[in-house]
Amino acid sequence: MGTKHESAIKTDNSLKIKQGRRAKAAIIRTGMQQGDFAISVLHVTPQHLSNVVTGKQNLTEDNARIIANAAGVRLEWLFCKDDYMTEEEIEAAAKKAEYAALDLASKLFAVDDALEKALAQKLQFESLCKKTSISDKTINSFKKEVLHYVDYLAEKIIREALKNGSDREA
């Protein structure tokens, strides 16, 4: 009964701690000392800001907005809604995704080309099989192996393309 409530509090506390770490990282980006930043930029006591960056106190929207503007970071990042500190990081991630998509497309074209060549070889193979005494069972077994290998290659290419992601933390 108490466990469910405790886990909700723990999640909230871990979020406050993470937001506090990000606020501290943003303040460091400004080049100011934390105490000076508290007084001259946020207009709060150094102790209040210390409580925020250690996760003992919530980061308010007003303070987050001031920190974000002073440090050139995004509010969404400060509030842990995503992992992109700046607009530049979003643009870089978009370019990386675009390059990954182009790379995947070129690999898929290569697979398509390989499949066309395999189909031509298959037709030649079937033609030869009809001229010789290879059983339908052997031909079907060969077809299954080829299809299994094609599936393996496609999965490998997709897994490689999906490795591009953001796992960064503050």
Side-chain angles (χ1 to χ4, degrees), residues 46-67:
Q47 183 59 46
H48 176 80
L49 183 54
S50 178
N51 287 340
V52 170
V53 300
T54 58
K56 294 176 186 169
Q57 198 161 343
N58 283 328
L59 175 64
T60 66
E61 181 130 2
D62 289 340
N63 285 344
R65 194 173 313 285
I66 293 167
I67 292 169

Side-chain angles (χ1 to χ4, degrees), residues 96 100 103-104 107 153-165:
K96 185 177 179 182
D103 186 45
L104 177 60
K107 288 178 181 176
L153 287 177
E155 285 179 28
K156 183 178 176 184
I157 289 169
I158 291 169
R159 270 194 312 271
E160 189 177 308
L162 292 176
K163 283 182 184 177
N164 302 318

Side-chain angles (χ1 to χ4, degrees), residues 39 57 95 101 105 132 141 153:
I39 294 167
Q57 198 161 343
K95 281 189 181 201
T132 61
S141 175
L153 287 177

Side-chain angles (χ1 to χ4, degrees), residues 120-139:
Q121 289 178 347
K122 174 187 166 263
L123 293 174
Q124 286 178 348
F125 176 74
E126 286 176 348
S127 175
L128 287 173
C129 290
K130 288 179 182 174
K131 294 178 184 175
T132 61
S133 59
I134 297 176
S135 70
D136 286 341
K137 184 179 177 182
T138 303
I139 293 171

Side-chain angles (χ1 to χ4, degrees), residues 33-160:
Q33 294 294 320
Q34 184 173 305
D36 295 337
F37 189 90
I39 294 167
S40 63
V41 178
L42 282 180
H43 307 294
V44 298
T45 66
Q47 183 59 46
H48 176 80
L49 183 54
S50 178
N51 287 340
V52 170
V53 300
T54 58
K56 294 176 186 169
Q57 198 161 343
N58 283 328
L59 175 64
T60 66
E61 181 130 2
D62 289 340
N63 285 344
R65 194 173 313 285
I66 293 167
I67 292 169
N69 287 336
V73 299
R74 298 174 55 252
L75 274 174
E76 296 84 357
W77 176 79
L78 276 176
F79 281 119
C80 304
K81 293 181 180 177
D82 66 36
D83 291 331
Y84 301 105
M85 182 187 281
T86 63
E87 293 296 327
E88 291 79 19
E89 285 185 3
I90 291 175
E91 291 171 16
K95 281 189 181 201
K96 185 177 179 182
E98 184 180 338
Y99 291 138
L102 290 173
D103 186 45
L104 177 60
S106 70
K107 288 178 181 176
L108 288 175
F109 282 129
V111 167
D112 188 51
D113 186 49
L115 286 173
E116 283 185 33
K117 289 177 182 174
L119 179 60
Q121 289 178 347
K122 174 187 166 263
L123 293 174
Q124 286 178 348
F125 176 74
E126 286 176 348
S127 175
L128 287 173
C129 290
K130 288 179 182 174
K131 294 178 184 175
T132 61
S133 59
I134 297 176
S135 70
D136 286 341
K137 184 179 177 182
T138 303
I139 293 171
N140 287 334
S141 175
F142 175 72
K143 285 179 186 178
K144 283 181 185 177
E145 280 187 45
V146 169
L147 290 174
H148 178 71
Y149 185 66
V150 167
D151 287 342
Y152 162 78
L153 287 177
E155 285 179 28
K156 183 178 176 184
I157 289 169
I158 291 169
R159 270 194 312 271
E160 189 177 308

